[in-house]
Amino acid sequence: MTRGHRESHKIKSIGWLRAAVLGANDGIISTASLIIGVASAHASHGNLLLTGVAGLIAGAMSMATGEYVSVSSQADTERAALAEEKAELENDGPHEHRELAAIYERRGLERGLADEVAHALMAHDALGAHARDELGITEITTAKPLQAALSSASSFAVGASLPLVVTTISPDRWTVPAIAGTSLLFLATLGGLAARAGGAPLMPGMLRVMFWSALSMGVASGIGNLLGAT
């Protein structure tokens, strides 16, 4: 007797993974760049910590708000599309059946088999079949605004806390290099973990995030030095 075959596809986690990685990356990059920019303008250690804490709070709230509004708009669009599809099914079921069968034909099924499949799926769950195969709305991709907002805000806060901890424990003269070095290390680790969780190659994800993060911190340092000099 053969055991049941179970598959675990990494794409199922793509929704929360995207929000979590984006939040943590933003938390590290924005807070590190903010502190480095202020430090380059010769601010005191206390001001650096205050700047970092303010950036953490403002950034987390901004991430949560932006993600909630964005995903809520997506959810509203999905609900409107499902309501429209439900009305079409009620008003003209035969046409919707032909439409679904045509989709399966384009995917490679013979006309008779496509018609049978469409008939069977619509008998089981007509709206679900059209949502999935016509509209592209599935359980995996369904928008979840609150989940996305909380994930983004919490991951941003965790990411932002890392440069803050480094700022707290590093001597004044080593603050900028310590934050830059550890932040790049954190970001490379996060990029590698995200790539591994998503089943993608490690190095491209790590190198991308390190390059753009180094550029961001370099620009912030340059502006801080310029403003500090004037």
Side-chain angles (χ1 to χ4, degrees), residues 11-117:
I11 195 172
K12 292 181 179 179
S13 63
I14 194 66
W16 68 263
L17 181 64
R18 181 193 66 83
V21 170
L22 177 63
N25 278 344
D26 274 5
I28 296 173
I29 295 170
S30 61
T31 305
S33 299
L34 185 62
I35 295 175
I36 286 175
V38 175
S40 297
H42 312 296
S44 67
H45 196 80
N47 284 337
L48 295 184
L49 292 175
L50 180 61
T51 299
V53 171
L56 185 155
I57 296 172
M61 294 303 297
S62 175
M63 287 290 292
T65 301
E67 195 73 14
Y68 186 84
V69 171
S70 174
V71 179
S72 292
S73 298
Q74 179 186 341
D76 291 341
T77 302
E78 290 177 354
R79 281 192 293 267
L82 289 173
E84 182 179 357
E85 192 63 33
K86 183 178 180 181
E88 291 174 354
L89 285 166
E90 293 173 352
N91 296 329
D92 195 354
H95 172 76
E96 293 300 307
H97 175 272
R98 292 191 298 271
E99 190 175 44
L100 191 61
I103 292 174
Y104 298 142
E105 279 190 69
R106 289 195 294 272
R107 293 181 182 176
L109 296 183
E110 297 290 339
R111 177 172 297 182
L113 181 57
D115 187 72
E116 290 180 17
V117 172

Side-chain angles (χ1 to χ4, degrees), residues 104-155:
Y104 298 142
E105 279 190 69
R106 289 195 294 272
R107 293 181 182 176
L109 296 183
E110 297 290 339
R111 177 172 297 182
L113 181 57
D115 187 72
E116 290 180 17
V117 172
H119 178 78
L121 291 178
M122 288 186 67
H124 175 68
D125 182 7
L127 183 58
H130 281 269
R132 179 179 60 253
D133 295 318
E134 182 182 349
L135 303 177
I137 299 174
T138 67
E139 185 179 351
I140 295 176
T141 61
T142 299
K144 299 179 178 65
L146 187 58
Q147 179 187 25
L150 291 175
S151 177
S152 292
S154 58
S155 58

Side-chain angles (χ1 to χ4, degrees), residues 156-188:
F156 183 97
V158 170
S161 67
L162 297 176
L164 266 176
V165 171
V166 175
T167 303
T168 302
I169 63 177
S170 62
D172 287 350
R173 62 175 180 168
W174 294 108
T175 298
V176 172
I179 293 175
T182 55
S183 294
L184 290 175
L185 178 61
F186 294 147
L187 288 162

